[in-house]
Amino acid sequence: HPLADKLRERGIAVSDRGWIRVGPTLQSVSHPEIFAAGDCCTIEGLPDNKPSPPKAGVYAVRAGPLLIENLIGYLAGKSQDDLTKYNPQSDFLKLLMAGDGTALGFRFGLALYGKWVWLLKDKIDVMFMDLFQAENLPVLDESKKGDRLDTSQYDAAQDNKPRLEPKEAAELLLRTDDDVDFQAAWGVLRSMMKDDEYKSKVLSYAEVTQV
């Protein structure tokens, strides 16, 4: 890409594919005063030699608060060692609208499909966009300078319903009919994220081999 070529010509470290090379603090490996996050960068030096995450919005969203925090810290004179390191999640819920009122999904090796998957994606998208409504923007409190930024807004969904038994949960996720309660299915997926034992039981009933 011409922009990547321009960056390279100016000595900014970019990958062979043109992504800005940054470390876990989201600072350029060649110019620490330059920060990058999301699709424009590739992250090096992650814990346990993890590869840079794929190009997906969830990683950009999660990196956003940390990027702001580190920019503020850098401008305040913090050293690189004192900045927060980004440790991206290893997997995420993949959702794709099919254009006919249904959607496809993939998580934990499970293929998801149906109207309920469309409703789930729509709910997640609307919740995210609602964060930018004026009444939902975070209050910048001068008295709390130095505090970690509140990222709870990105986990706003609440698991208020009782957890389904693993067999019932597996059967629910595999359904494709229009009567599936997407909120209940979402609750199952969130419970699987939080509890590895529960996740294993659900997957065993769904006859999915874990990699």
Side-chain angles (χ1 to χ4, degrees), residues 5 41-42 46 52 55-56 82 99 132 138 156 161 164 176 185 206:
D5 294 337
C41 72
T42 183
L46 291 172
S52 183
K55 307 303 181 187
D82 291 329
F132 298 95
K161 295 183 178 181
L164 297 180
T176 60

Side-chain angles (χ1 to χ4, degrees), residues 61-79:
V61 167
R62 295 286 176 171
L66 186 143
L67 176 64
I68 296 171
E69 183 178 320
N70 283 352
L71 279 168
I72 294 171
Y74 181 83
L75 293 173
K78 283 188 177 182
S79 69

Side-chain angles (χ1 to χ4, degrees), residues 8-205:
R8 187 180 291 108
E9 289 170 6
R10 285 160 174 74
I12 298 171
V14 297
S15 71
D16 57 357
R17 301 193 64 184
W19 313 124
I20 299 172
R21 295 170 54 206
V22 301
T25 59
L26 305 180
Q27 291 171 277
S28 162
V29 298
S30 60
H31 295 70
E33 68 275 19
I34 295 176
F35 288 74
D39 290 357
C40 72
C41 72
T42 183
I43 308 174
E44 302 176 358
L46 291 172
D48 303 319
N49 294 315
K50 287 197 298 187
S52 183
K55 307 303 181 187
V58 63
Y59 294 108
V61 167
R62 295 286 176 171
L66 186 143
L67 176 64
I68 296 171
E69 183 178 320
N70 283 352
L71 279 168
I72 294 171
Y74 181 83
L75 293 173
K78 283 188 177 182
S79 69
Q80 191 171 41
D81 290 339
D82 291 329
L83 298 181
T84 304
K85 293 179 172 58
Y86 180 41
N87 186 14
Q89 62 199 70
S90 59
D91 194 14
F92 62 101
L93 176 62
K94 305 165 187 70
L95 298 169
L96 178 67
M97 297 290 200
D100 60 356
T102 66
L104 302 167
F106 193 76
R107 188 72 161 105
F108 307 119
L110 282 175
L112 314 170
Y113 174 74
K115 179 181 178 181
W116 74 266
V117 185
W118 188 98
L119 292 170
L120 174 57
K121 177 167 173 52
D122 183 65
K123 176 67 173 180
I124 292 173
D125 290 346
V126 170
M127 284 178 58
F128 178 72
M129 295 308 298
D130 281 348
L131 294 175
F132 298 95
Q133 297 291 334
E135 63 272 18
N136 296 329
L137 293 175
V139 177
L140 299 179
D141 189 341
E142 290 291 322
S143 68
K144 295 184 178 181
K145 280 187 176 180
D147 289 356
R148 294 295 302 276
L149 293 176
D150 180 14
T151 60
S152 61
Q153 58 186 357
Y154 300 116
D155 298 296
Q158 300 295 319
D159 301 324
N160 296 320
K161 295 183 178 181
R163 177 182 287 187
L164 297 180
E165 291 298 317
K167 186 174 185 297
E168 185 180 359
E171 292 171 348
L172 178 66
L173 294 180
L174 294 176
R175 285 173 55 185
T176 60
D177 60 276
D178 291 352
D179 295 327
V180 176
D181 180 350
F182 83 90
Q183 295 277 19
W186 193 11
V188 169
L189 293 170
R190 292 175 64 83
S191 294
M192 293 171 72
M193 289 172 57
K194 298 175 182 177
D195 188 332
D196 285 340
E197 182 178 358
Y198 180 75
K199 177 180 72 176
S200 296
K201 289 180 178 178
V202 173
L203 292 178
S204 68
Y205 280 112

